[in-house]
Amino acid sequence: MLNSLISLCFVTLFCVSAAAASRTKIYSINGHEGKFVSSPPAADGICRSMVQSQGYICHEHTVTTQDGYILSMQRMPKARSGKPADIPPVLLQHGLLMDGITWLLNSPNESLAFILAEKGYDVWIANTRGTKYSLGHTSLSPNDPAYWEWTWDELMAYDVTASVKFVHDQTGQQKLHYVGHSLGTLVAFAAFSQDKLVSMIRSAALLSPIAYLGQMPSQLARSAVDAFLAEDIYWLGLHEFAPRGDAVAKLLEDICQKPGNNCSNLMSSFTGQNCCLNSSRTDIFLEHEPQSTATKNMIHLAQMARKGTIAMYDYGNEDDNMNHYGQPTPPVYNMTKIPKDLPLFLSYGGKDLLSDVKDVKLLLGNLKDHDSDKLVVQYIKDYAHADFVFGIQANRDVYDPMMAFFRLH
């Protein structure tokens, strides 16, 4: 039961920092440092396992990034009735330790991908590098430490860029709507702040928006960040962070023993008290999630939480930063540089311990000069981090207002 609860907690952004050192301990004991532990990609893919079984047409695609990662992508071009999409494309970008199945886990009348397809949208589902169906590379194997040498900087610069361009090109140069959750919002904010992707984006809906993490109130996540656990595991040679397995339980037991940490409900302790999850879908979730990421990615997120800034990866000393960036400190992503006429729909929750209200307000302060008719901000008092993608009422509370926003743009 503990392992199931632990795995379930990884639906969210920062539990992974807590798990990192656990894998270090297990592999140090068993002598398997550096071993690739992700599940091998299944032959059937997301279309067959999650979409076609519900009666929808679904096509599998692959996208190769400029740095050689081969990503899977799914397209749902028709409603279940067979009616072709007649509304511009929408790209769905998942968060950390998840993949595109995020948007398909609930029933068709509760899952965003199905809902959008029924409304006539041409739905595209992205899967970032390192996840089960995006393990390919033109020259590297996931067994190679170099395969895992990336952070969300690269997800922004390569994965999201390649995915957006692919949809744009495959749909006759149509501008597309973008929907991101959690880490999927962070990479979008970073790209927009550098004026990337904007020419191909019709609008962006950003759920549980992550830009700043400095005021994150989750005590368990904060304990993991402050202990520099991700840094420890990286320097021990474990460059892939795989959240499945007994290693997670062992580390969380250590963290839970620290004063002030309440582990009676791991999901709530990490993400906030989610109001509206469908507990009957837990087994389906655990069949597919959580997914691996790079340990270096976890270090980057921990840096953000400690410093309260949104900047590129810090290599830890001025010389290395100079070699990578030409300056002694990492460049900052300036949120005030997001184009003021880019249509944005932001939805955040009052119970979210990861996309904290104070951090979201800091972000909104940077957007204070945004064109008023191009920015919609929705606050849902009872929502926590997972409610935005797995909540049984999200179709009414979040997706209906979001689609109304899309229709305006």
Side-chain angles (χ1 to χ4, degrees), residues 166-380:
F166 185 81
V167 174
H168 180 257
D169 293 348
Q170 290 290 312
T171 57
Q173 310 293 312
Q174 289 191 72
K175 286 189 174 184
L176 56 134
H177 299 290
Y178 176 95
V179 182
H181 175 249
S182 191
L183 192 72
T185 72
L186 175 60
V187 293
F189 285 130
F192 299 156
S193 74
Q194 297 183 347
D195 205 27
K196 295 178 178 177
L197 308 182
V198 174
S199 64
M200 295 181 283
I201 296 293
R202 185 178 297 268
S203 73
L206 306 167
L207 314 179
S208 295
I210 297 288
Y212 298 97
L213 289 168
Q215 300 178 82
M216 178 180 62
S218 169
Q219 182 62 38
L220 287 182
R222 181 64 62 180
S223 295
V225 167
D226 292 344
F228 289 80
L229 296 179
E231 286 83 350
D232 288 345
I233 187 174
Y234 181 85
W235 291 114
L236 284 171
L238 299 174
H239 292 197
E240 177 202 1
F241 174 74
R244 292 181 179 269
D246 292 339
V248 172
K250 290 180 69 69
L251 177 66
L252 282 176
E253 286 173 3
D254 292 341
I255 292 178
C256 290
Q257 290 173 3
K258 294 184 178 181
N261 286 345
N262 177 12
C263 293
S264 60
N265 186 326
L266 287 172
M267 184 73 160
S268 297
S269 296
F270 276 113
T271 73
Q273 185 62 54
N274 294 283
C275 70
C276 310
L277 303 188
N278 185 348
S279 59
S280 69
R281 309 299 287 183
T282 299
D283 288 344
I284 297 174
F285 169 82
L286 292 176
E287 286 179 18
H288 301 281
E289 315 294 347
Q291 301 283 334
S292 286
T293 190
T295 305
K296 189 175 177 181
N297 192 30
M298 306 320 304
I299 297 174
H300 194 179
L301 293 166
Q303 290 173 352
M304 293 175 60
R306 284 192 290 267
K307 297 177 181 180
T309 59
I310 175 171
M312 299 184 78
Y313 181 82
D314 190 344
Y315 285 88
N317 62 76
E318 292 187 358
D319 289 342
D320 285 346
N321 284 332
M322 284 293 296
N323 288 336
H324 283 89
Y325 306 125
Q327 61 185 60
T329 57
V332 172
Y333 294 100
N334 187 345
M335 296 295 99
T336 66
K337 297 294 187 181
I338 294 174
K340 295 176 174 54
D341 60 350
L342 176 64
L344 298 176
F345 176 93
L346 274 60
S347 186
Y348 69 108
K351 300 294 180 64
D352 197 330
L353 296 184
L354 298 176
S355 175
D356 178 62
V357 170
K358 293 179 181 178
D359 282 326
V360 174
K361 287 184 176 179
L362 181 59
L363 168 65
L364 293 176
N366 289 327
L367 300 176
K368 66 181 186 304
D369 295 326
H370 210 82
D371 290 355
S372 59
D373 62 335
K374 298 295 174 62
L375 177 63
V376 170
V377 179
Q378 180 189 48
Y379 171 72
I380 305 178

Side-chain angles (χ1 to χ4, degrees), residues 46-47 50-51 57-63 71-77 89-94 98-105 111-114 116-117 122-128 131 133-134 163-164 166-167 176-177 179 289:
I46 290 176
C47 277
M50 299 298 296
V51 182
I57 292 174
C58 183
H59 304 304
E60 294 280 356
H61 296 267
T62 58
V63 182
L71 315 178
S72 76
M73 181 177 285
Q74 293 73 42
R75 184 184 193 181
M76 299 171 60
V90 56
L91 176 65
L92 306 180
Q93 180 60 62
H94 61 83
M98 299 293 292
D99 64 3
I101 288 176
T102 294
W103 312 103
L104 301 160
L105 274 172
S111 296
L112 181 57
F114 295 118
L116 289 169
D122 183 6
V123 180
W124 295 77
I125 301 172
N127 300 271
T128 57
T131 55
Y133 299 101
S134 295
S163 297
V164 169
F166 185 81
V167 174
L176 56 134
H177 299 290
V179 182
E289 315 294 347

